[in-house]
Amino acid sequence: MVSKPWLQPAPSYHPLESYWDTEDDAPGPRCAHTLTAYYVGSNNSIQGACVQNVLDSMVLALLRDKNRKFIYVEQAFFQRWWRDQSEETKTIVKVLVSSGQLELINRGWCMHDEAAPHYIDMIDQTTYRHKFIKQQFNVTPRIGWQIDPFGHSAVQAYLLGAEVGFDSLFFGRIDYQDRAKRKGDKSLEVIWRASKSLGSSSQIFAGAFPENYEPPSGFYFEVNDDSDIVQDDVNLFDYNVQERVNDFVAAAVSQANITRTNHVMWTMGTDFKYQYAESWFRNLDKLIHYVNKDGRVNALYSTPSIYTDAKYAETDSWPLKEEDYFPYASDINAYWTGYFTSRPGLKGYVRMLSGYYLAARQLEVLKGRNKAGPTTDSLGDALGIAQHHDAVSGTSQQQVADDYAKRLAIGHKEAEVVAAESLAGMVSSKSGQGSSATHFQQCPLLNISYCPPTDADLSSGKKLVVVVYRKLSGKDVVFEYPMTEA
């Protein structure tokens, strides 16, 4: 969850953006819940989280005041919620998106990791969901939002940033020493020229947050948070408007001192907040009103797009950043590099199915897509969420890793049917023999040298026909299959 403000003494611009970033991980031991548990709010003994409550609550809160704004990220949650909504609610949400009150940013199936995935998987999980947003809302994403992955790659900046058409890219995790230095010389926000070959043609405005992606200390307004609310009723005890205004201005000025230009962003939210959105918006409404009345800082609800436009309008020069933001260390002796190789079985499974998905989609096109099924969609969805920064990274707990693998296996099984039916049709049409009902068996367990069709006893004169489909052309490849000795 995150929002942004800006800052500076009066006529400076200090946008306060309120939106929630949906991640299927928890701030404690990495990713303790499954995707479904986070969405429906089950197993809350591990982590109090219910994404559908956030979305339901957010819509109602935005309708109460047209000045309020909210951003949403992961489409794996949003589209699940969208399917369950009435036509009336969908119409309301479309109006909120069109008016700019609700901004859908990044818009991938998830917020993918940037070290472990293959770049094709990163592209697929991002662009597949962009298509849905375009079809439903007729909007094109402008902002990259990678606030929680553990370090950031040059590929993300130029290929899935500038080349995708984003105007800016924001993130939260960079090396603690790098962050400290950038605060000192006001270089948290940069022009990121990540590709040596493409040069300035693929650079992008990029910004790292001063302190990860949390609100300033003392400005958490979930119903069970311990920050002081804004109590502005003089007829009640604990009236604290001036105290809260002073806290706000102090935090704004502190961030202004490490930021170029008069515009400062605050990320007003974090993981699984806004489950009762009105609790946040009520306090933010009051803060914006009384801070602006005070006059030292100008505060307003904003979005990453509004903030980016304000930065583009400035005449200040920006530091140039090249290459990547790896490795990431959160503290001394705390380098987040073990995940480059952790859970190798899951990493290998994702990579193998990524190649299979590409082949199955090609065969699906050749066969002709059957909307009634089977299709490759289930595998595409599973691969999309598997690129999450707590999935293929290997940083989830065991029950969550099992859930990712289960989703992949279910998707793989359906895609196998698509591939088999397409191959049968192709062989039938070219040979003039047989029929499209020809059944092709596949060998998904070759990693353990197990393939029942090739292990069959052929001594009685049975024939074994092997059909190989190569999804890419290029150099010769050796295919190996285990066989029973005759």
Side-chain angles (χ1 to χ4, degrees), residues 4 46 55 100 132 317 391 430 454:
K4 323 169 179 204
I46 296 177
L55 289 163
F132 168 87
S317 61
K430 289 187 177 181
T454 61

Side-chain angles (χ1 to χ4, degrees), residues 163-469:
E163 295 295 305
V164 164
F166 289 162
D167 293 326
S168 61
L169 170 64
F170 296 99
F171 42 89
R173 295 184 184 270
I174 63 173
D175 183 273
Y176 74 102
Q177 299 163 101
D178 190 14
R179 191 192 306 272
K181 182 179 185 302
R182 291 182 179 279
K183 285 182 180 181
D185 57 20
K186 295 187 176 182
S187 61
L188 287 169
E189 294 176 330
V190 299
I191 298 299
W192 193 356
R193 186 179 298 169
S195 171
K196 293 182 179 179
S197 58
L198 297 176
S200 61
S201 66
S202 64
Q203 65 190 24
I204 190 170
F205 177 76
F209 301 139
E211 302 294 341
N212 209 342
Y213 56 91
E214 305 279 331
S217 178
F219 291 93
Y220 292 76
F221 298 116
E222 201 74 10
V223 290
N224 59 347
D225 286 335
D226 56 8
S227 297
D228 291 335
I229 64 168
V230 181
Q231 206 298 82
D232 62 345
D233 189 338
V234 295
N235 296 313
L236 301 176
F237 293 146
D238 303 322
Y239 181 86
N240 65 353
V241 169
Q242 193 57 52
E243 177 185 347
R244 292 272 62 195
V245 168
N246 290 340
D247 292 340
F248 188 103
V249 172
V253 171
S254 175
Q255 188 167 335
N257 290 334
I258 59 172
T259 306
R260 300 187 186 211
T261 82
N262 288 340
H263 304 290
V264 174
M265 174 196 295
W266 279 5
T267 52
M268 294 305 296
T270 186
D271 297 317
F272 310 116
K273 301 298 184 180
Y274 289 77
Q275 296 192 57
Y276 177 51
E278 189 61 27
S279 177
W280 283 84
F281 281 113
R282 182 188 304 120
N283 283 280
L284 295 177
D285 288 346
K286 293 178 180 180
L287 282 170
I288 291 172
H289 171 73
Y290 289 114
V291 165
N292 289 339
K293 186 176 180 180
D294 175 86
R296 287 175 287 171
V297 165
N298 181 34
L300 62 143
Y301 286 114
S302 184
T303 67
S305 292
I306 294 173
Y307 181 75
T308 297
D309 289 342
K311 290 290 186 174
Y312 269 60
E314 295 288 344
T315 58
D316 294 52
S317 61
W318 300 98
L320 181 65
K321 163 68 178 176
E322 297 179 314
E323 300 181 342
D324 58 35
Y325 284 91
F326 283 121
Y328 164 60
S330 55
D331 205 341
I332 188 171
N333 298 325
Y335 280 83
W336 295 44
T337 53
Y339 82 95
F340 294 164
T341 56
S342 59
R343 295 199 185 279
L346 181 61
K347 283 179 166 64
Y349 194 35
V350 170
R351 185 61 58 85
M352 183 274 287
L353 288 182
S354 172
Y356 188 88
Y357 177 54
L358 177 59
R361 280 190 296 172
Q362 292 175 351
L363 290 168
E364 187 175 33
V365 171
L366 294 172
K367 169 180 173 288
R369 183 176 173 83
N370 182 0
K371 292 185 178 180
T375 71
T376 59
D377 289 350
S378 179
L379 180 55
D381 290 351
L383 279 169
I385 198 62
Q387 309 312 315
H388 186 272
H389 58 273
D390 276 319
V392 69
S393 59
T395 55
S396 64
Q397 295 187 15
Q398 186 61 53
Q399 72 272 16
V400 183
D402 292 343
D403 185 71
Y404 285 125
K406 180 180 179 180
R407 293 173 185 276
L408 290 167
I410 293 171
H412 184 198
K413 197 71 176 176
E414 184 174 353
E416 279 188 331
V417 178
V418 175
E421 290 180 353
S422 179
L423 287 171
M426 291 169 62
V427 170
S428 173
S429 63
K430 289 187 177 181
S431 66
Q433 299 177 354
S435 72
S436 60
T438 301
H439 179 61
F440 279 89
Q441 293 179 273
Q442 299 174 52
C443 302
L445 299 178
L446 287 175
N447 61 311
I448 59 171
S449 299
Y450 178 63
C451 180
T454 61
D455 277 343
D457 183 6
L458 304 178
S459 59
S460 59
K462 294 181 179 179
K463 293 183 179 181
L464 175 67
V465 177
V466 177
V467 175
V468 176
Y469 176 81

Side-chain angles (χ1 to χ4, degrees), residues 16-86:
L16 178 72
E17 308 170 30
S18 199
Y19 48 79
W20 191 62
D21 160 43
T22 59
E23 299 187 84
D24 26 0
D25 69 291
R30 296 304 312 181
C31 200
H33 266 351
T34 64
L35 180 70
T36 298
Y38 276 142
Y39 179 72
V40 302
S42 61
N43 202 11
N44 279 334
S45 61
I46 296 177
Q47 171 72 29
C50 181
V51 172
Q52 60 183 345
N53 283 353
V54 173
L55 289 163
D56 290 340
S57 179
M58 171 271 294
V59 171
L60 295 176
L62 292 183
L63 289 174
R64 289 190 176 190
D65 187 336
K66 62 181 178 59
N67 293 307
R68 293 173 172 180
K69 290 181 169 58
F70 195 90
I71 71 164
Y72 206 83
V73 182
E74 276 101 334
Q75 291 298 304
F77 285 136
F78 182 83
Q79 291 182 31
R80 182 173 297 200
W81 175 82
W82 183 257
R83 290 196 301 267
D84 295 336
Q85 303 312 301
S86 66

